[in-house]
Amino acid sequence: MDNTLALPTSFPNNRLVWTGRIISGLTIAFFVFDAAMKLAAITPVVEASTRLGFAGSDVRPIGAVLMLATLLYAWPRTAVLGALFVTAYLGGATATMVHAGQASYFPVLCGVFVWAGLLMRRPQLRAFLVTASK
């Protein structure tokens, strides 16, 4: 029997965790701002949404969905669920941009930031993904 101390597969790297927190914080701030603009139904936001094919009355519910997903992502206990919901939202945004013939890289880039921030600040999630991929 081996009496050596069994160490966890992943130790939190303080710099990596803080980088993840900063990336997540900036992403959350952007999504909260975007959702608030939609919830307020500001004229330029409504006009932009109608140019993309949405009815003006759809802007507030879309903003509410984004706000809910962002709040779930911001709360540590529900961050993974929130990341899944934000990813689904961004998938719809990407599809809308492709359908409208506009550049679709921005929602994809936002999704990369969502998951990069989450993986950097959650060493357990990184360890799980490493273990699951074996």
Side-chain angles (χ1 to χ4, degrees):
M1 176 179 232
D2 187 17
N3 289 332
T4 59
L5 179 63
L7 298 175
T9 57
S10 176
F11 285 105
N13 178 336
N14 209 20
R15 287 185 185 140
L16 189 63
V17 170
W18 275 102
T19 302
R21 288 176 182 165
I22 291 168
I23 290 171
S24 294
L26 291 172
T27 305
I28 290 165
F30 172 75
F31 287 148
V32 166
F33 177 75
D34 187 30
M37 297 298 254
K38 286 175 174 52
L39 287 170
I42 296 173
T43 303
V45 173
V46 174
E47 289 173 355
S49 296
T50 56
R51 281 194 304 273
L52 291 172
F54 292 100
S57 61
D58 292 338
V59 174
R60 281 194 172 113
I62 291 170
V65 168
L66 178 58
M67 186 66 81
L68 176 64
T70 302
L71 292 175
L72 286 171
Y73 177 66
W75 188 258
R77 293 178 66 90
T78 59
V80 175
L81 180 64
L84 291 171
F85 286 160
V86 169
T87 303
Y89 176 88
L90 293 171
T94 302
T96 299
M97 299 301 272
V98 168
H99 183 72
Q102 296 186 10
S104 60
Y105 64 88
F106 189 72
V108 173
L109 187 61
C110 286
V112 169
F113 285 136
V114 165
W115 283 99
L118 186 62
L119 286 169
M120 286 181 197
R121 64 188 166 114
R122 288 278 181 103
Q124 332 69 300
L125 186 57
R126 284 194 313 272
F128 171 76
L129 289 177
V130 169
T131 306
S133 68
K134 290 182 181 179

